[in-house]
Amino acid sequence: MHRFNYIIMIDLSGFDVNSVGNPNNNIFGLPFEEENARLIILPVPWEVTVSFGSGTARSAEQVFKASLQVDLFDRDIPDSWKEGFYLKDSDKKILLKSDYLRKEAELYIDYISRGEEVGDNQFMCKTLKEVNEGGVLLNNWVYQQTKALLDNDKLVGLLGGDHSVPLGFMKALSEKHSEFGILQIDAHCDLRDRYEGFTYSHASIMYNALNEISQLQKLVQVGIRDYSQGEWEFLSNNKSRVAAYLDKDIRIRQYEGETFKEIVHEIVGQLPEKVYISFDIDGLDPKLCPNTGTPVQGGFETEQVFYLFDAVYKAGKKIIGFDLCEVSTSETGWDANVGARILFKLCNLLVASNPV
């Protein structure tokens, strides 16, 4: 009944699904408001600890613009959009805080990269403290925002921002789900403990999730191709809770005769019944995201990742939420163009995976 109510809350008879996206509507040109949309996308404009390139804090605007060019027909899941997707406005206070702390973090990163001791510099000690306090603030804000949406029976997805942003959302979900797994698409493990001294670094998101969320039953990482010795040791010592499918290993298995279908079947088998998707766009081939913060050669085509997602859905797993992070801005808008299409796929899957 509720599914039907979501559809009839707004009259779609005058909406032409085959027409150009209307910029006066919301994401993908859809004529929904927050009240009558089933799925809410929360943009998180934050990039304080990025290590290389910046721009992801302001990606939501470019993703919105690119989304107007996305055709609304998904052959595999054709009607999910009718239940309503809605992108909230970016929070200007969070963006301003990110901008301020990012400048501080840049000075700090430059300082430590030259081998200087933080304890010898009072300003750098203050900077590190402020950045770490900012991470706590951001986590609490994301938790509060997403918890309110979940309590209002909304499905929720996050649009980053750097990959540090979903921790608060994961914690909100953990209050509703006693056990769940994370399917991480990424070039990096993100298993570093306080990378560069930052407790809630983008490079530490999965380390923090594993340590702070007891309900996180299994982390399955796919596409990894850049990791530290410490992260490799972490993986070796935590095989019961973390399964890493390295980009190199996936390719070698295919070179030696295994099919991608067989590998995907194995990956899906590692996941518990409830799955959160964490998608760092640098998991893709950098030709699809050349301006992302830390691009690495290799990586997936979008259709390979979509094939994996479809396999998760067809296996009867329940997708409970997602984040799409590290989509950056650019002069051409190419990264946002790819990001918008990934976002549409994730939205369709989340709705289809939660029939009511």
Side-chain angles (χ1 to χ4, degrees):
M1 181 179 294
H2 288 152
R3 175 186 283 268
F4 183 67
N5 284 342
Y6 276 114
I7 295 173
I8 67 170
M9 264 186 189
I10 181 168
D11 181 8
L12 294 175
S13 62
F15 179 72
D16 185 356
V17 68
N18 296 304
S19 185
V20 63
N22 185 344
N24 295 318
N25 288 340
N26 199 258
I27 191 80
F28 308 114
L30 294 173
F32 292 94
E33 300 293 338
E34 182 172 346
E35 293 73 22
N36 57 30
R38 186 162 184 232
L39 188 158
I40 308 300
I41 304 162
L42 177 69
V44 187
W46 189 264
E47 58 177 1
V48 174
T49 66
V50 291
S51 309
F52 185 60
S54 60
T56 188
R58 288 173 166 79
S59 65
E61 183 178 349
Q62 280 202 351
V63 170
F64 174 86
K65 184 176 180 181
S67 78
L68 302 178
Q69 303 301 317
V70 175
D71 282 314
L72 297 177
F73 182 70
D74 182 331
R75 188 181 66 182
D76 300 316
I77 310 172
D79 295 323
S80 287
W81 67 268
K82 294 179 180 177
E83 299 192 32
F85 309 155
Y86 182 82
L87 174 67
K88 290 175 67 74
D89 292 333
S90 291
D91 189 291
K92 294 180 180 179
K93 291 182 179 179
I94 293 295
L95 179 59
L96 287 173
K97 187 73 172 178
S98 174
D99 287 345
Y100 168 74
L101 289 177
R102 177 60 196 156
K103 291 176 182 177
E104 299 287 289
E106 284 177 335
L107 293 173
Y108 172 87
I109 293 169
D110 178 68
Y111 182 79
I112 64 170
S113 70
R114 291 184 276 110
E116 304 287 354
E117 288 293 329
V118 175
D120 296 338
N121 188 309
Q122 186 175 359
F123 175 76
M124 290 302 163
C125 288
K126 177 176 177 289
T127 294
L128 180 59
K129 182 174 182 289
E130 285 187 348
V131 170
N132 283 333
E133 288 174 347
V136 173
L137 179 147
L138 188 277
N139 291 338
N140 289 337
W141 181 83
V142 171
Y143 167 80
Q144 292 164 2
Q145 294 289 315
T146 54
K147 183 179 187 302
L149 291 169
L150 293 169
D151 287 346
N152 198 28
D153 294 325
K154 299 293 188 180
L155 299 172
V156 180
L158 291 193
L159 178 60
D162 71 40
H163 208 180
S164 71
V165 304
L167 185 62
F169 181 28
M170 294 172 183
K171 289 184 175 181
L173 286 168
S174 74
E175 295 178 357
K176 290 187 171 291
H177 305 281
S178 59
E179 288 185 343
F180 67 96
I182 294 177
L183 174 59
Q184 176 191 359
I185 308 300
D186 208 318
H188 310 88
C189 287
D190 293 345
L191 290 170
R192 295 175 183 261
D193 180 7
R194 292 171 295 180
Y195 184 56
E196 297 176 327
F198 302 138
T199 304
Y200 293 107
S201 167
H202 71 102
S204 304
I205 176 62
M206 296 306 165
Y207 178 88
N208 291 327
L210 288 165
N211 279 279
E212 298 185 21
I213 304 174
S214 60
Q215 296 88 341
L216 175 50
Q217 183 179 0
K218 190 70 175 279
L219 169 64
V220 180
Q221 305 180 306
V222 185
I224 307 299
R225 53 195 189 276
D226 197 14
Y227 46 91
S228 68
Q229 179 177 334
E231 288 176 303
W232 179 251
E233 291 171 355
F234 185 97
L235 290 172
S236 300
N237 294 329
N238 292 274
K239 290 183 178 180
S240 64
R241 204 171 173 210
V242 185
Y245 287 82
L246 308 185
D247 183 80
K248 178 181 179 180
D249 293 343
I250 292 173
R251 291 172 186 267
I252 289 174
R253 288 173 66 174
Q254 290 178 287
Y255 299 156
E256 295 181 350
E258 284 191 73
T259 66
F260 190 62
K261 178 181 179 180
E262 290 170 332
I263 298 170
V264 164
H265 179 76
E266 181 183 313
I267 292 170
V268 173
Q270 295 271 10
L271 293 164
E273 289 308 302
K274 294 182 178 180
V275 179
Y276 175 90
I277 296 175
S278 188
F279 197 147
D280 185 326
I281 202 168
D282 71 22
L284 300 178
D285 186 312
K287 70 188 179 193
L288 299 168
C289 51
N291 297 286
T292 192
T294 45
V296 183
Q297 81 279 6
F300 290 117
E301 298 291 337
T302 51
E303 285 304 324
Q304 290 176 293
V305 179
F306 291 172
Y307 181 85
L308 171 58
F309 290 167
D310 286 338
V312 172
Y313 170 64
K314 291 174 182 177
K317 308 291 185 182
K318 184 181 181 70
I319 300 170
I320 61 173
F322 70 79
D323 65 72
L324 174 60
C325 294
E326 305 285 358
V327 179
S328 191
T329 54
S330 65
E331 290 185 8
T332 64
W334 171 241
D335 299 61
N337 181 33
V338 175
R341 283 158 170 77
I342 295 170
L343 183 63
F344 187 63
K345 184 68 171 181
L346 289 168
C347 289
N348 283 339
L349 284 167
L350 181 56
V351 168
S353 185
N354 289 270
V356 291

